[in-house]
Amino acid sequence: MEALVRQALKRHQPQAAGTGPGAVNGVGVATDAPRLIANISARHAHLSQQALDLLFGPRRSLTVLKPLYQPGAYAAEETVTIFGPRKQMISNLRVLGPLRDACQVELAFSDARFLGIDAPVRVSGNIAGSAGCYLVGPHGGIEMSEGVIRAARHVHMNQGEAGYYGVTEGEGMRLVVDSAQSGVLDDVTVRIGADVKLEVHVDTDEGNAVDLINARKVTLERTR
Amino acid sequence: MEALVRQALKRHQPQAAGTGPGAVNGVGVATDAPRLIANISARHAHLSQQALDLLFGPRRSLTVLKPLYQPGAYAAEETVTIFGPRKQMISNLRVLGPLRDACQVELAFSDARFLGIDAPVRVSGNIAGSAGCYLVGPHGGIEMSEGVIRAARHVHMNQGEAGYYGVTEGEGMRLVVDSAQSGVLDDVTVRIGADVKLEVHVDTDEGNAVDLINARKVTLERTR
């Protein structure tokens, strides 16, 4: 199975005038709308140093395969195999860097159901009481007692962009997708950070449902 | 992999008053809204008699495993294995009855990508020039030169229900899903038939994207 994080849709288009509180209406008048990018995150794993050592060997470090859109984030050359409780497995699960304090595996529901894992929808980092799995690498295997989630769809933005949209940390926004299979994804969680770029992350099920890869237009809207 | 068509969401709830042209507003006033059911169709195959004979042996017939919601339709006990061009396979692909004149395989994009099949979005039955695959059963295998599609999400309804919604054959409606991962699926193709029951069909990617199985409320709306 292919597990490389797909960055399929990089749309550098301004939003239509009038869709945000800072927009200026009027023909020929430029807006200050930030550039919106919506990317599909395929299933992947974040690892701790301890897990990396157990899976790939002592004192290992990750090797950068490809930088991701967010500054400092990258797809690593390293991949692992994930097993669920029924011993179904998915190989070539991509590891994303940099290393984290805790291991976390992000799956689409399609992946989780295949593996027999009941992954809850969680904002990344909130893994207490989530599902477990087994990971196997070339050096060894580990059991994760928790950390397997379906990442809640979300949008990274800085404080200025949050001001533009008029939203606050943790609230839900709406992603409107115009495609051959158009649709709207609500409950896109706002995640505000200092050194992030404006980017919506959805999983493969969500991207597939609205044919995001072939979208004609993507718009982010405040919902309250 | 589990391939049984899931009939996960059988909601026998009337729509909210005022959502359809025949609805009557007012507290305590009953509406004539038809009962809306939205079901997730997992990947499956429709077979011809000729294909059934080649896959399962001469003069075979399908065995009913479970009736589906539409009158006369059923999940059969028979399953096949599907291969794409890269020899990736999915076993236990459920066959749905009754037999048809032409073979057709309906996959979600997640399934198609796993198999390496470029399945186009098509209304069921419109398979000219669609993707091919290999099917294998206990008696033999066949090559389908076409017939592999992602079924366009659609809603079956009779003429009376079409009148209620004010829609005509082939037009697109909007499915509004209220859940923990709310969303809207546009481009739900209207399919009018004489002996059908009102039912929306989406695939697993679409159902997963809006967490349809755990939906609090589902509403069908005209879009023009």
Side-chain angles (χ1 to χ4, degrees):
Chain A
M1 289 193 180
E2 52 187 326
L4 184 64
V5 170
R6 262 171 255 126
Q7 292 195 285
L9 189 80
K10 293 200 168 184
R11 296 189 174 274
H12 298 268
Q13 60 194 5
Q15 296 197 300
T19 59
V24 178
N25 287 300
V27 176
V29 177
T31 76
D32 58 353
R35 284 182 166 180
L36 178 63
I37 292 183
N39 275 324
I40 298 169
S41 294
R43 55 181 174 266
H44 62 268
H46 300 281
L47 298 179
S48 65
Q49 182 67 58
Q50 183 186 19
L52 187 71
D53 291 350
L54 291 168
L55 292 165
F56 290 90
R59 292 174 296 284
R60 276 287 303 253
S61 58
L62 291 175
T63 305
V64 176
L65 172 67
K66 184 183 169 187
L68 300 180
Y69 185 63
Q70 291 301 325
Y74 58 90
E77 287 187 2
E78 287 76 11
T79 63
V80 294
T81 299
I82 180 173
F83 291 80
R86 298 188 316 221
K87 308 302 175 198
Q88 275 286 16
M89 68 170 199
I90 295 178
S91 54
N92 297 319
L93 181 71
R94 183 67 51 186
V95 176
L96 299 193
L99 295 172
R100 294 188 177 185
D101 290 339
C103 293
Q104 179 174 299
V105 172
E106 300 177 33
L107 303 175
F109 274 169
S110 291
D111 305 322
R113 187 169 294 120
F114 171 75
L115 292 167
I117 295 175
D118 188 15
V121 177
R122 294 287 182 85
V123 171
S124 179
N126 175 19
I127 59 170
S130 60
C133 72
Y134 303 89
L135 297 183
V136 177
H139 183 75
I142 60 171
E143 177 179 354
M144 287 173 58
S145 60
E146 64 183 18
V148 183
I149 63 171
R150 178 193 194 180
R153 48 196 182 229
H154 57 278
V155 52
H156 296 286
M157 61 177 66
N158 62 34
Q159 198 60 60
E161 288 150 349
Y164 169 79
Y165 286 110
V167 296
T168 57
E169 173 72 16
E171 81 172 81
M173 297 187 73
R174 174 177 295 142
L175 185 72
V176 181
V177 179
D178 176 23
S179 70
Q181 299 275 282
S182 289
V184 176
L185 297 173
D186 281 307
D187 302 310
V188 178
T189 305
V190 172
R191 308 210 61 188
I192 301 174
D195 299 315
V196 300
K197 293 156 80 175
L198 180 64
E199 181 188 27
V200 171
H201 273 155
V202 303
D203 69 19
T204 44
D205 289 344
E206 293 158 345
N208 288 341
V210 294
D211 200 8
L212 183 61
I213 287 177
N214 299 307
R216 295 178 288 255
K217 188 180 176 191
V218 175
T219 314
L220 189 63
E221 298 175 355
R222 187 171 66 168
T223 53
R224 60 184 165 81
Chain B
M1 288 194 180
E2 52 189 324
L4 183 65
V5 170
R6 262 172 255 125
Q7 291 196 286
L9 190 80
K10 291 200 168 181
R11 297 186 177 275
H12 296 268
Q13 60 193 5
Q15 296 196 299
T19 59
V24 178
N25 287 299
V27 177
V29 178
T31 76
D32 59 353
R35 285 182 168 181
L36 177 63
I37 292 183
N39 276 324
I40 298 169
S41 293
R43 55 182 174 265
H44 62 268
H46 300 280
L47 299 178
S48 66
Q49 181 67 59
Q50 183 185 19
L52 187 71
D53 291 351
L54 290 168
L55 292 165
F56 290 91
R59 292 174 296 285
R60 275 287 304 254
S61 58
L62 291 175
T63 305
V64 176
L65 173 68
K66 184 182 168 189
L68 300 180
Y69 185 63
Q70 291 300 326
Y74 58 91
E77 288 187 1
E78 287 76 11
T79 64
V80 294
T81 299
I82 179 173
F83 291 81
R86 297 188 316 222
K87 309 302 176 198
Q88 275 287 16
M89 69 170 199
I90 295 177
S91 55
N92 297 319
L93 181 70
R94 184 67 51 186
V95 176
L96 299 194
L99 295 172
R100 294 188 176 185
D101 290 339
C103 293
Q104 179 174 299
V105 173
E106 300 178 32
L107 303 176
F109 274 168
S110 291
D111 305 323
R113 188 168 293 120
F114 171 75
L115 292 166
I117 295 175
D118 188 16
V121 177
R122 294 287 183 84
V123 170
S124 179
N126 174 19
I127 59 170
S130 60
C133 71
Y134 303 89
L135 297 182
V136 177
H139 182 77
I142 61 171
E143 178 179 354
M144 286 173 57
S145 60
E146 62 183 19
V148 183
I149 62 172
R150 179 194 192 179
R153 48 196 182 227
H154 57 277
V155 53
H156 297 285
M157 61 177 67
N158 63 32
Q159 198 61 59
E161 289 150 349
Y164 168 79
Y165 285 110
V167 295
T168 58
E169 173 72 16
E171 82 173 81
M173 296 186 74
R174 173 177 296 143
L175 185 71
V176 181
V177 179
D178 176 23
S179 69
Q181 298 275 281
S182 289
V184 176
L185 297 173
D186 280 307
D187 303 310
V188 178
T189 305
V190 172
R191 308 211 60 187
I192 301 174
D195 298 314
V196 300
K197 293 156 80 175
L198 180 64
E199 181 188 27
V200 172
H201 273 155
V202 303
D203 69 18
T204 44
D205 289 344
E206 293 159 345
N208 288 340
V210 294
D211 200 8
L212 183 62
I213 287 177
N214 299 307
R216 295 178 288 255
K217 188 180 175 190
V218 174
T219 315
L220 188 62
E221 298 177 354
R222 186 171 66 167
T223 54
R224 60 184 166 82

